[in-house]
Amino acid sequence: MLMDLAATITAGAGLAGLVMAVRHFSKGRLPKWTIPAAIGAGMLTFSVWNEYSWYPRVAAALPPEVRVVSAPEDSSALRPWTFLFPVSSRFMALDRTAMLTSQDRPDIRRADAMVVQRWQPTQRLPFAFDCAGDRQAALAGGAALAPDGTLSGAVWRPVGQDDELQRAACQEG
């Protein structure tokens, strides 16, 4: 968040510098009020761009093995323009880079779901997936998935065919 603030101030200062240069070379024909107006316009423009481009920039930087499964768009009364143009400030992705597949039962897999939120550290949540049975289990609180595909300390939860997390985990390749 501190970097966002520094970048916002820099954008305002940069645009103000540009307006001051134009004022100088035009021998003062541009009114003085354009300098603080440029600061405000630069800061506002950068803030809006930064907020609306956060999700596409972060998602594009992920390796191809990490699949985004959910990116809800939010609206807030504190930011009334988001009712017209909702913004994504968080998303969930499945990290397939370290996916483990049971040797005895190849339809049983283990992978981490990542919850990525703006201005928050990324959370990694381990999950077990039963691709043949359309089930999944959160591996939290000491739950484990044995190499033979046996689940302990958790309960399988049925999910539908349209569950994006399950689909990303069970997709081949």
Side-chain angles (χ1 to χ4, degrees):
M1 186 189 274
L2 187 61
M3 292 302 289
D4 286 348
L5 180 62
T8 302
I9 292 169
T10 302
L15 197 53
L18 183 66
V19 168
M20 287 191 306
V22 169
R23 275 192 89 238
H24 175 75
F25 290 121
S26 69
K27 298 196 184 346
R29 290 190 184 123
L30 209 56
K32 280 187 176 181
W33 62 263
T34 57
I35 296 170
I39 293 171
M43 292 173 75
L44 183 65
T45 301
F46 176 79
S47 294
V48 169
W49 171 84
N50 195 30
E51 187 163 333
Y52 279 91
S53 69
W54 175 83
Y55 167 67
R57 286 184 289 131
V58 172
L62 295 172
E65 297 86 11
V66 176
R67 306 234 172 100
V68 175
V69 295
S70 171
E73 292 184 329
D74 300 322
S75 298
S76 168
L78 297 175
R79 300 175 300 174
W81 59 89
T82 59
F83 288 106
L84 292 174
F85 306 104
V87 63
S88 290
S89 59
R90 68 187 189 284
F91 66 90
M92 180 183 256
L94 184 74
D95 185 2
R96 294 177 50 96
T97 58
M99 180 177 284
L100 300 173
T101 303
S102 171
Q103 299 229 350
D104 298 339
R105 295 181 54 196
D107 57 319
I108 303 290
R109 299 175 181 177
R110 184 206 178 282
D112 288 346
M114 300 181 339
V115 178
V116 183
Q117 296 180 0
R118 192 157 184 217
W119 302 307
Q120 300 292 324
T122 299
Q123 299 175 15
R124 296 183 78 80
L125 309 170
F127 275 88
F129 300 95
D130 179 359
C131 297
D134 286 329
R135 309 180 295 174
Q136 60 185 237
L139 299 177
L145 184 65
D148 67 351
T150 307
L151 182 67
S152 62
V155 178
W156 288 110
R157 181 177 59 90
V159 295
Q161 296 276 339
D162 59 340
D163 186 84
E164 290 293 327
L165 188 60
Q166 183 82 6
R167 196 177 329 183
C170 295
Q171 186 178 6
E172 295 299 326

